[in-house]
Amino acid sequence: MATDLISLAQKASQNAYVPYSHFPIGAAVKTKSGDIYLGCNIENASFGLTNCGERTAIFKAISEGHRDFEEIAVYGETEDPISPCGACRQVMAEFFEPTARVTLVAKDGKTVVMTVDELLPYSFTELR
């Protein structure tokens, strides 16, 4: 399924609103029930109000009633696979199992696959 998520994440990046950075990011998240939600980064002139593609996809799913996620793919127009920011990593830690699959994708299709726990090994959670 990761291949489908990768192509969907790449497609989602085409909807990015990035007039300041010109740095489109797309994400595709799969819920444990099999539903898939897409997200892109959405910038704002007040940069603190910008939302990343990963969080957009996760928040869309949450707004539709989902709380359990299986995996996520993140695509960036980068030479190496894109790495989520700290805020996105923490949101993943809140809603994904530590062993959930995270596929990071570069513009040439190169990937790195890791887990949420590998992305943020000492995350702030109610359990830690």
Side-chain angles (χ1 to χ4, degrees):
M1 181 52 125
T3 303
D4 291 339
L5 285 183
I6 290 170
S7 63
L8 289 170
Q10 185 174 16
K11 180 181 175 184
S13 74
Q14 296 170 6
N15 291 329
Y17 177 73
V18 291
Y20 307 103
S21 72
H22 307 287
F23 188 69
I25 302 296
V29 63
K30 182 180 176 188
T31 67
K32 286 191 177 178
S33 63
D35 294 306
I36 296 174
Y37 290 86
L38 306 183
C40 61
N41 52 329
I42 303 164
E43 295 180 346
N44 190 285
S46 175
F47 288 134
L49 301 179
T50 294
N51 202 55
C52 300
E54 300 93 308
R55 285 182 284 143
T56 300
I58 294 167
F59 293 165
K60 282 173 65 176
I62 291 167
S63 75
E64 296 296 322
H66 297 280
R67 299 289 187 274
D68 298 306
F69 299 94
E70 188 172 299
E71 63 181 299
I72 188 169
V74 184
Y75 170 83
E77 290 285 320
T78 53
E79 296 297 321
D80 293 311
I82 190 73
S83 181
C85 74
C88 289
R89 292 173 191 221
Q90 183 59 50
V91 168
M92 287 179 207
E94 181 75 19
F95 292 101
F96 290 66
E97 296 293 326
T99 58
R101 179 185 175 117
V102 180
T103 303
L104 310 174
V105 188
K107 66 181 176 183
D108 67 358
K110 185 175 16 177
T111 62
V112 169
V113 178
M114 52 190 1
T115 66
V116 170
D117 200 44
E118 289 171 327
L119 273 176
L120 190 60
Y122 296 102
S123 62
F124 183 77
T125 67
E126 66 181 353
L127 302 176
R128 294 187 185 169

